[in-house]
Amino acid sequence: MRGFYDPNEFSYLAPIINAKDLIVEELNACRNQDMFLDFLADFKGNDAVEKVVGTWVTSQMYYRKAGSHKIHTPTWPDRNIKKKWIKYLRLAPNIFPTTFNILKSVDEVYWAGMSKIQANSEIKPHKHKFKVPTLTFQICLSPSAGNCTLTLNNEKVEWGDIGQMMLFDGRLEHELINDSPDSRTIMHMEIDPTGHPDYKW
C-alpha cells in the first residue's frame, strides 16, 4: 500500500493548489484560538490507549453533506464542545469565504479544517478508519521552528515551510512528533482518491 502521494497527481485538487497562498493568508488572518477544540476522545476508541501526549486541537470548517461523504462522526468530550464545533462549522463560510468557496468547488473533498499540535507534543502511532476511500491532504499554515516530523511506515517527512503540502494514506500507521518550542498549525482535508491507479481500497 502506497503511503505518500503528490497532490499534483490529482487534477481536481488544482483549484486548491493554485489558490494555496490565498487560502493560507485567509486562514492565518481570520482564525482564532477559540475555534480549536480538544478532540482527544477521537483516539480513545482505537485501542483504548491514549494517543495524544501534550496538546493537539482541531477545528472544522467544511463538510460535504451527501450520503457516503459522511466518512466519520466526531466524538466530543462534552456537549459544550459539540455546540462550539457546530457553531464554527456554521460560521465558516462567513469567516473564511474564499477558502470555503474553493472547497465547495471540489466535489472530492469530504471534510476540511485546521489542527494544531503544540510545542513538545506528539500523537502516538495510530491508524485512521474510514467508511469510504480517503486520503488526507494537508497544507502547512504555521510551521514550527524546530523538529516537527510525520512518520508513516518508517518514512519521515519534516514540516518546515508555510504552504508545504502533504498527502498520505492515513490507514497506514503514522505518528506526529513536535519536538520544537513552537506549535505547528495545518489545514487538513479528507479527499476521495477513487480512480488513482495506486490507490487500493
Side-chain angles (χ1 to χ4, degrees), residues 74-108:
T75 303
W76 299 279
D78 59 56
R79 184 173 296 180
N80 288 332
I81 288 181
K82 178 179 180 179
K83 287 172 67 175
K84 187 179 288 188
W85 184 90
I86 294 172
K87 168 188 171 181
Y88 282 111
L89 191 56
R90 290 175 174 168
L91 289 175
N94 295 321
I95 300 173
F96 310 110
T98 299
T99 301
F100 186 87
N101 287 331
I102 292 169
L103 292 171
K104 191 175 180 181
S105 74
V106 182
D107 290 341
E108 291 81 1

Side-chain angles (χ1 to χ4, degrees), residues 1-21:
M1 186 184 296
R2 182 174 171 185
F4 289 100
Y5 293 76
D6 180 348
N8 293 293
E9 295 174 21
F10 299 83
S11 59
Y12 57 77
L13 292 178
I16 298 171
I17 295 171
N18 292 340
K20 182 180 65 174
D21 291 345

Side-chain angles (χ1 to χ4, degrees), residues 13-138:
L13 292 178
I16 298 171
I17 295 171
N18 292 340
K20 182 180 65 174
D21 291 345
L22 291 175
I23 291 171
V24 170
E25 181 179 3
E26 181 175 68
L27 296 187
N28 281 336
C30 301
R31 60 184 166 89
N32 66 69
Q33 186 56 40
D34 190 54
M35 298 175 179
F36 290 87
L37 307 173
D38 182 349
F39 280 105
L40 297 186
D42 271 352
F43 294 97
K44 290 177 182 175
N46 282 355
D47 54 12
V49 176
E50 186 56 79
K51 292 295 183 182
V52 178
V53 177
T55 303
W56 173 78
V57 289
T58 185
S59 175
Q60 295 295 135
M61 73 177 72
Y62 181 78
Y63 166 48
R64 186 172 293 280
K65 301 177 182 177
S68 64
H69 286 200
K70 189 172 182 180
I71 59 175
H72 58 68
T73 302
T75 303
W76 299 279
D78 59 56
R79 184 173 296 180
N80 288 332
I81 288 181
K82 178 179 180 179
K83 287 172 67 175
K84 187 179 288 188
W85 184 90
I86 294 172
K87 168 188 171 181
Y88 282 111
L89 191 56
R90 290 175 174 168
L91 289 175
N94 295 321
I95 300 173
F96 310 110
T98 299
T99 301
F100 186 87
N101 287 331
I102 292 169
L103 292 171
K104 191 175 180 181
S105 74
V106 182
D107 290 341
E108 291 81 1
V109 175
Y110 298 133
W111 287 81
M114 294 174 285
S115 66
K116 178 188 294 186
I117 185 166
Q118 299 288 7
N120 302 310
S121 298
E122 67 177 290
I123 303 176
K124 293 181 179 180
H126 64 286
K127 299 178 182 180
H128 297 166
K129 296 180 180 179
F130 297 120
K131 298 176 182 177
V132 294
T134 307
L135 288 177
T136 300
F137 180 30
Q138 301 178 342

